[in-house]
Amino acid sequence: MKYVDEFRSGELARALASELEQAMPLGRELAIMEVCGGHTHAIYKHGIDELLPRGLELVHGPGCPVCVIPVGRVDDAVSLALEPNVIFTTFGDMMRVPGSKGSLLDARSRGADVRMVYSPLDALELARANPERELIFFAIGFETTAPSTAVTLLQARDEAISNFSVFCNHVTIGPPLRAILDAPELRLDGLIAPGHVSAVIGSRPYEFIASEYGRPVVVAGFEPLDILQSVLMLVRQLAAGRAEVENQYTRVVRENGNPRALEAIEQTMELRDSFEWRGLGSIPRSGLRLRDEFAGWDAERRYKVPGLSVPDHKACQCGQVLRGLVKPWECKVFGTACTPERPIGTCMVSAEGACAAYYNYGRNRPTRRDKIQA
Amino acid sequence: MSEQAPRRKPRLRDERITLGHGAGGKATHTLVEALFLEELGNPLLDPLGDSALIDAGGTKLAFTTDAHVVQPLFFPGGDIGSLAVNGTVNDIAVSGARPLVLSAAFVLEEGLPVSDLRRIVASMAEAAREAGVVVAAGDTKVVERGRGDGLTVTTAAIGLVDERVSLGAEKVRPGDKVIVSGTLGDHGMAVMIARGNLELEVEIESDSASIFPLCEALFALGADLRWLRDPTRGGLATTLNELTEASGLCVVLDEKALPVREQVAAACEILGIDPLYVANEGKLIAIVAADRADEALASLRTHPLGAGACIAGVVEAEPESLVLLQTAFGGSRVVDMLVGDPLPRIC
């Protein structure tokens, strides 16, 4: 396949892997976090981890939009979905995430009208087509998906569509990274920054990681050669004692990002004082809410939601997985009580979740196999 | 390891049927084993092969049935009529038997255009001729508008088992080769795209066809032909997982060798679907002894349906009960059974 095979060449991969081997600083163990769940998925799907040199470990980060939504927000979504006359729309993965009283799919089997959409614009279209019903869109995701929600809101306002509202759970990537770097229990040497988020925000917002924390960052694409090359760029920085923000994904990411997308977010949304993250707790100024001008389209202001903070299932270690403290296969319920068919935590639900990636693709790795029932 | 341990019996914990139970993956298996086998189990049904093998006074017969629901009823490369014939005939063929007769039961929805029904039945007749079978029995029911999905067809078939072969997961040995008769995922992608809601402007034709000629070409291998399947619902990945689960062996696939049409690969890439899980309706997976693999390939390639046949992988003893893929990139990964229903229902 043109424009894809070029980034998956086994020959180039072997060449890069041997360069990486030679670039490794002698006698040092390196821990590099791939922030984004899309990268985690690609790493296991293509077996990139098997090409890494000894002493280099990849640590999975919090960049999985479904994974970071806490139980309380899922409960709020279920309560909105059960409101009379509501059509509740969401991305597919989110339907299976268990809340304290079941998932959105369970709500559907109890009679709620929950539908999967591919884009918030599809939800707006449903609002136009069903003027007698109330449409709510469950908005989740980092700066990657926030612009499409923003554009949808602007369109709803311009067309004065009043039976449409957004349950906004958009988050920003910077604050959780700072929280992880501040945590004393994890020592990271460098970060692979997410490509799609960076297409919107640019590479500049990661500067603090280099300047304040002295850690190198490389913004990476999602093809396997992108990821391997990014690891090499990080290792070279570390070997040379540099800590800079570099951009490997130049075919998509600009230093200043996408100004029009940022403008749309800015017009419609503002930072909340604080937002609760699964596993990371409440982080100041890390989540987005709708601006007052859009109060009429804000589901949290139009409906009563419980708004409670609800602890994770007792056995679930998603929080530690999201912070890179526990490997998926080290979780007590991984592959036994928690599987993709019957997930307990979000990391096993989402295709981008680290647990789902290990479970689906990585079970042949010797360290992990003994944990799983055949 | 757990070689001697009896396989755990799955438990059906769901309270209601979901679309996932029809997707051919883990949920389907749980439903079949924990509900249908629990109630209906018997020595003929229990092996859960493509057909039941029946001894009828010294003659060995293969018997199978299949319900067909597909939207849209017509798609590039076929329709529900040809699909209903080929799907059932293929289940007989991969059991090592020559298909003889078919039955067909139609559930028609009030309002279905007669012209559509005629096209579908004519297409069944043509598919039956090509497969060398006749429709020997049938039934028709009509249901109220809104309760029938246009039309559903249930077919059953009887075949005569070829004395030269004896197939089964227990016949497979480490070292055997895995042969695939052609490109993967054509039928599933054709149907998904024909639904028209993905807004992809590419035409992909279903591979719906009778694969009996391909199977027959391999029967001459006798005991060196170990196992045959047509990878329909759930695709190659799910079918091979059934083999590794039943045999306790491991199948290692070579991603570089797997044949996937350019358009199918591109559509899958865009939709985030793995072609290994997409349905086929005219393809064969054969496991043969390593020293007969070249001969098997040569016989398959003499037939137009097998022109693209290739060796896609090899059977190994370990790791136990697992399908692995050597990625083109140089790593490896597990190829698990399909979980739930990430794809629209297609057959």
Side-chain angles (χ1 to χ4, degrees), chain A residues 1-2 8 10 13 44-48 50-51 224-225 228 341-342 359-361 363-365 369 373-374, chain B residues 1 8 13-14 16 26 262 265-266 269 274 319-320 322 324 327-334 336 339:
Chain A
M1 210 184 324
K2 237 182 151 181
R8 296 181 185 173
Y44 285 96
K45 180 162 184 199
H46 297 281
I48 301 170
E50 295 179 324
L51 298 175
L225 280 179
L228 204 53
E341 301 100 85
R342 296 202 163 268
Y359 189 89
N360 289 330
Y361 298 136
R363 275 180 294 156
N364 59 327
R365 315 303 198 256
R369 219 180 115 65
Q373 301 179 346
Chain B
M1 297 294 239
R8 274 181 315 134
R13 290 188 285 180
D14 309 274
R16 284 173 195 279
K26 285 190 180 173
E262 181 93 19
E269 186 70 30
D274 188 335
E320 183 191 4
L322 214 54
L324 295 181
T327 69
F329 197 67
S332 70
R333 69 166 152 103
V334 172
D336 202 1
V339 171

Side-chain angles (χ1 to χ4, degrees), chain B residues 223-302:
Chain B
D224 287 334
L225 177 63
R226 319 281 204 207
W227 184 86
L228 290 176
R229 273 296 165 92
D230 57 330
T232 54
R233 200 171 48 171
L236 178 72
T238 302
T239 308
L240 286 177
N241 268 285
E242 288 166 5
L243 170 68
T244 54
E245 199 173 289
S247 66
L249 298 169
C250 170
V251 166
V252 182
L253 294 171
D254 176 4
E255 188 175 45
K256 284 199 296 285
L258 294 174
V260 181
R261 250 178 242 286
E262 181 93 19
Q263 303 96 300
V264 172
C268 283
E269 186 70 30
I270 289 169
L271 299 171
I273 292 170
D274 188 335
L276 292 181
Y277 293 91
V278 180
N280 310 275
E281 289 291 344
K283 294 296 171 347
L284 178 68
I285 310 174
I287 302 219
V288 301
D291 55 358
R292 308 287 297 277
D294 288 336
E295 188 186 331
L297 269 187
S299 332
L300 287 175
R301 285 176 181 163
T302 58

Side-chain angles (χ1 to χ4, degrees), chain B residues 19-29 233-235 238-239 242 337-338 340:
Chain B
L19 286 176
H21 289 119
K26 285 190 180 173
T28 307
H29 281 253
R233 200 171 48 171
T238 302
T239 308
E242 288 166 5
M337 207 177 252
L338 185 64

Side-chain angles (χ1 to χ4, degrees), chain B residues 9-95:
Chain B
K9 229 183 177 168
R11 260 180 53 219
L12 185 65
R13 290 188 285 180
D14 309 274
E15 285 175 15
R16 284 173 195 279
I17 294 299
T18 66
L19 286 176
H21 289 119
K26 285 190 180 173
T28 307
H29 281 253
T30 306
L31 178 70
V32 169
E33 292 187 27
L35 195 150
F36 289 110
L37 274 195
E38 187 76 28
E39 301 291 337
L40 300 172
N42 64 66
L44 287 176
L45 184 63
D46 292 348
L48 292 180
D50 280 307
S51 308
L53 298 179
I54 303 166
D55 190 333
T59 305
K60 267 173 87 186
L61 296 177
F63 177 51
T64 191
T65 185
D66 221 336
H68 299 270
V69 287
V70 62
Q71 285 299 333
L73 299 175
F74 301 92
F75 45 84
D79 54 59
I80 191 169
S82 53
L83 200 60
V85 170
N86 292 331
T88 305
V89 160
N90 290 346
D91 282 345
I92 293 286
V94 295
S95 307

